[in-house]
Amino acid sequence: MTIHQRGASEPLAARLEELLQERFGASLPVDRDLDGLAELVRIAGHRVHRRFLPRPVAPDLLRLLCACALSAPSKSDLQQADMLIVRDKDKQRAIAALIADMPWIADAPAFLVFLADGRRLPLIARLRDKPFPNDHLDLFFNATVDSALVLATFLRAAAAVGLGCCPISAIRDHAQTVSDMLALPERVVPLAGLCVGWPAESGGITPRLGLEATVHEDRYDSASTAEHIDAYDRRRAARRPYARQRARERFGAAAFYGWSEDKARQYAEPLRADFGAFVRRKGFRLD
Ligand SMILES: Cc1cc2nc3c(=O)[nH]c(=O)nc-3n(C[C@H](O)[C@H](O)[C@H](O)COP(=O)(O)O)c2cc1C
């Protein structure tokens, strides 16, 4: 690395350390000579965006980002992820109307749906006159993983050009309706929607569980999970306290309301319990 490049990487390395400190509450030393620091800064600085400027996202740019996203790795090169661009604003508004508490869906200059496609592979077997003895859970799982990789890669591509995104798994609360609206065939199911636009505000870093909780070495370490969660709750509350407590009428007001209290309350309600039935109805076999 030249002296000039090294000079340029100083602030990037410092910025990366700062972002990781904010995210994980720990200092991770960053080698100033590392290549790709600008990309790591962008990845570490990820944040969801739910407010957008009233400025369109050019169709060509969206297509370019789709191409970059679909360059993600694919299990066995099976290519089981598809993307659907909702260009019809009436359709986007109809999807938004299903999810009243997320007005950012209607406001988003662009809206996409990421699909897990388990249709193409069995079709190829038929086209090539071959047996297909793999109609089981793995077909659904592989397609879902591919689709998630494409979604994550789209987020990175969008961030690289300055766009902001918000994935919307809430469309799966209305999986059958969305599937009908988008004419999804057998064995094609929605993974998530995605709001895309030019951010109206910079947004903020959401702290994550400490690496001691989520990065295991040689064997899964379950010894101190509760302590790790407590420590994270306190670190996160100090930086980003919740504005309101969920389901107060059911659980009362907590003296300390941390992430784990919020997630425990969120998942004390049955959520999307009919999704398995929907996936089966779409023709996936999950055994
Ligand atoms: C698969 C997936 C589905 C999500 N679904 C929704 C959603 O339905 N509505 C929403 O407002 N945010 C949704 N989000 C955004 C998350 O709430 C957000 O990523 C999380 O709070 C962490 O914030 P961060 O992305 O800024 O780190 C989703 C994120 C992912 C990855």
Side-chain angles (χ1 to χ4, degrees):
M1 182 179 280
T2 64
I3 290 171
H4 172 72
Q5 283 170 324
R6 188 183 299 246
S9 71
E10 270 298 331
L12 285 175
R15 179 70 188 132
L16 182 55
E17 285 173 348
E18 202 176 278
L19 286 166
L20 296 174
Q21 176 73 45
E22 200 175 336
R23 181 84 75 192
F24 298 104
S27 57
L28 282 108
V30 175
D31 181 350
R32 268 56 186 162
D33 290 337
L34 213 53
D35 285 333
L37 283 173
E39 187 166 358
L40 294 189
V41 164
R42 192 176 302 121
I43 291 171
H46 158 79
R47 76 265 332 250
V48 68
H49 288 280
R50 297 191 176 94
R51 296 197 54 219
F52 305 105
L53 298 172
R55 173 182 162 198
V57 180
D60 283 353
L61 175 57
L62 210 52
R63 229 174 146 69
L64 174 71
L65 297 177
C66 289
C68 290
L70 286 161
S71 305
S74 164
K75 195 267 169 209
S76 289
D77 198 15
L78 292 176
Q79 307 184 42
Q80 290 176 291
D82 293 3
M83 305 158 76
L84 193 153
I85 302 171
V86 180
R87 292 217 189 278
D88 178 346
K89 286 289 163 194
D90 285 340
K91 214 168 245 190
Q92 182 177 341
R93 276 189 286 273
I95 293 172
L98 298 169
I99 310 163
D101 59 340
M102 297 183 190
W104 40 93
I105 301 174
D107 294 347
F111 191 74
L112 279 69
V113 179
F114 287 73
L115 303 170
D117 189 326
R119 170 179 173 266
R120 226 165 4 237
L121 190 56
L123 175 66
I124 286 169
R126 278 203 302 283
L127 291 173
R128 298 294 164 257
D129 197 20
K130 298 292 181 300
F132 188 75
N134 288 296
D135 196 3
H136 47 66
L137 177 63
D138 209 42
L139 181 71
F140 174 71
F141 197 74
N142 288 333
T144 304
V145 169
D146 264 19
S147 185
L149 288 170
V150 169
L151 170 62
T153 308
F154 189 97
L155 295 181
R156 275 181 63 189
V161 298
L163 283 164
C165 298
C166 180
I168 303 291
S169 58
I171 61 166
R172 284 191 276 114
D173 294 343
H174 309 277
Q176 188 63 60
T177 310
V178 170
S179 172
D180 294 344
M181 276 178 183
L182 305 178
L184 303 186
E186 271 231 310
R187 291 207 184 95
V188 176
V189 294
L191 177 91
L194 191 72
C195 304
V196 185
W198 303 101
E201 53 195 20
S202 61
I205 295 276
T206 302
R208 296 274 195 268
L209 286 159
L211 298 184
E212 56 286 357
T214 49
V215 180
H216 305 265
E217 290 188 15
D218 293 330
R219 63 187 294 280
Y220 188 97
D221 179 4
S222 58
S224 309
T225 308
E227 287 82 348
H228 294 326
I229 291 170
D230 280 341
Y232 171 60
D233 277 347
R234 307 222 165 254
R235 170 165 58 83
R236 179 167 168 151
R239 273 193 180 274
R240 297 195 88 185
Y242 283 88
R244 60 168 194 91
Q245 299 195 3
R246 201 188 285 267
R248 272 174 94 123
E249 59 303 334
R250 182 170 175 201
F251 297 111
F256 172 74
Y257 191 87
W259 170 82
S260 61
E261 179 68 24
D262 185 71
K263 296 305 145 202
R265 288 185 182 203
Q266 182 177 354
Y267 272 76
E269 292 291 333
L271 297 169
R272 236 168 266 158
D274 57 350
F275 188 63
F278 163 75
V279 170
R280 286 188 178 88
R281 258 197 328 275
K282 290 301 280 183
F284 280 105
R285 296 181 57 187
L286 302 182
D287 39 40

